[in-house]
Amino acid sequence: MTSHTPTGASRHYVLAAGGTGGHLIPAFALAAELHARGHHVALITDERGAAIPGKPDFLTAHVLPAGRFGKNPLGWPAGISAVLEGRAMALRLFEAFAPSAIVGFGGYPALPALLAATAAKLPSIVHEQNAVLGRVNRLLAGRVDAIATSYDKVDRLKPKHAHKVRLTGNPVRAEVLALRDKDFPAFTDESLLRILVTGGSQGARVLSEVVPDGLAMLPPALRQRLQVTQQCRAEDLETVRARYANHDIPAELGTYFEDMHERLADAHLFIGRAGASTIAELTAVGRPAILVPLPIATDDHQAVNTREMVKAGGARMIRQDAFQPKELAKQIQAMAMNPASLANAAHCAFNCGRPDAANDLADLVESMSGIDLMDVIRIGEGAHRAAQATTRPHAATRKAAKDAVNHGSDA
């Protein structure tokens, strides 16, 4: 893993991200890297994002109106109005903060900031965490200078924008990245099999319903060696605890684990959803997984996120409609009955990791303001543009905001 010392050229950068962990975790990681290089960084997000845990102390959050475009056309005028208001506020921030570049991480809160960057003729980048280009990033693809991706292949990316693509990977938290230098936990025919189970607020229930019964169906020689840590919804805790007790399987349950990175370090196998940050952390550390994509994820992006890791042999994917106890037991048995198979899957997951993502993304960001770029990133012509204070007519921004309606109801 490479790291860079401060360049001596202190600059200002603005990061813009939706208010979910999937958008903000990589934004925080980039902010930390830019800060370490001696730059000043500000964040544009929504109220959820400003309150989310993990924000670095040095990072000032600015809450801007973003607007959302749902399926009901009656709500579109309000969404467009909010985007325009957010754009105006972002322009005032840019005038005061004088950023050298704007970086968007997807989600509707990034839209006003990136539209303002276009209006002010500031260099701009979007970072896509998923293997499918998100709706806001699709809307902005033609306007930005570069599109940083987390996967070598990204669906819904138009060929005419391919020259803007830079493969950087998806930055992860520093405490997770530090685990990459540690060996996969020893696993033998006699040792414990430590399983980590997590799911987001929308996904934990199906895991709570299926995983305990699936683990109970494993052969006795494997079932008797289980040690489970599982994140559950508060309302499901007692039910899940009773299921594990009935199966005589040791399990530690909780609604939230502050030391999740330590639990990931100890885990031999992960079972859970396939969000972008989850995949990035599993591959950064090298942990085999059984992934159950959230079926209502926009553009089925969680299923597409699993493509690289599954192809490499580091994970198995089970669609939710097929995620039944018997199928789960079958897949666990295939991975864990032979210790060498599990270790090999861990190695395959490790090889999918992109541990230099934060560094490479920071290199790309710096290149937009005239600082030399590392050879690992390709830069297209016209990427280095000087920041100017001029603005464009509101009509162009109004049209872009209306175009968001045609890209669907979620970012």
Side-chain angles (χ1 to χ4, degrees), residues 149 178 254 319 330:
T149 63
R319 288 282 189 178
K330 173 184 173 183

Side-chain angles (χ1 to χ4, degrees), residues 33 37 54 63 86 89 93 98 118 123 125 180 224 238 248 258 356 361 394 405:
E33 177 62 25
R37 297 185 185 196
V63 176
M89 292 174 66
L93 172 63
T118 299
I125 302 167
R180 188 170 175 87
Q224 293 169 4
E238 293 309 315
D248 198 24
E258 291 186 1
D356 293 327
L361 185 56
H394 273 206
V405 173

Side-chain angles (χ1 to χ4, degrees), residues 143-387:
R143 297 168 175 263
V144 298
D145 297 287
I147 302 169
T149 63
S150 302
Y151 296 89
D152 184 55
K153 181 180 179 182
V154 178
D155 294 357
R156 304 298 294 272
L157 178 67
K158 293 182 179 180
K160 67 180 181 180
H161 298 143
H163 69 285
K164 298 183 179 184
V165 172
R166 330 288 193 241
L167 175 60
T168 62
N170 190 15
V172 300
R173 296 170 294 162
E175 59 267 31
V176 172
L177 190 58
L179 302 176
R180 188 170 175 87
D181 295 328
K182 297 185 177 181
D183 292 335
F184 181 66
F187 180 64
T188 69
D189 289 324
E190 290 80 31
S191 63
L192 291 173
L193 172 60
R194 291 188 290 271
I195 296 179
L196 176 63
V197 187
T198 72
S201 60
Q202 300 181 85
R205 174 155 291 169
V206 68
L207 298 171
S208 295
E209 293 173 347
V210 173
V211 174
D213 293 345
L215 296 179
M217 299 178 71
L218 291 171
L222 194 58
R223 187 178 70 242
Q224 293 169 4
R225 296 157 49 204
L226 292 174
Q227 188 175 72
V228 181
T229 299
Q230 183 161 348
Q231 179 193 42
C232 308
R233 292 181 176 186
E235 60 268 32
D236 296 334
L237 274 174
E238 293 309 315
T239 300
V240 178
R241 185 172 285 114
R243 286 187 175 184
Y244 278 117
N246 289 338
H247 297 316
D248 198 24
I249 296 174
E252 181 181 0
L253 309 179
T255 57
Y256 178 75
F257 296 107
E258 291 186 1
D259 59 345
M260 185 62 78
H261 65 286
E262 295 179 3
R263 296 172 186 274
L264 182 61
D266 291 337
H268 294 109
L269 179 65
F270 172 88
I271 302 174
R273 293 302 194 188
S277 290
T278 296
I279 300 290
E281 293 188 353
L282 290 171
T283 56
V285 178
R287 291 297 179 270
I290 294 175
L291 301 169
V292 187
L294 182 68
I296 61 172
T298 306
D299 297 318
D300 199 26
H301 68 255
Q302 286 205 4
V304 186
N305 286 350
T306 71
R307 180 171 54 198
E308 182 177 87
M309 196 175 175
V310 169
K311 183 178 180 180
R316 292 169 181 249
M317 189 264 279
I318 306 176
R319 288 282 189 178
Q320 184 162 310
D321 57 3
F323 187 59
Q324 302 295 329
K326 184 176 181 180
E327 179 62 22
L328 176 61
K330 173 184 173 183
Q331 297 299 337
I332 294 174
Q333 190 171 350
M335 296 182 76
M337 283 299 288
N338 182 346
S341 297
L342 195 62
N344 182 63
H347 181 70
C348 293
F350 184 90
N351 286 342
C352 291
R354 294 185 172 89
D356 293 327
N359 290 322
D360 290 349
L361 185 56
D363 287 342
L364 176 60
V365 172
E366 285 185 334
S367 77
M368 294 291 154
S369 49
I371 299 174
D372 289 341
L373 182 69
M374 298 288 288
D375 291 340
V376 293
I377 308 293
R378 295 180 294 110
I379 289 297
E381 294 181 1
H384 306 282
R385 296 190 299 173

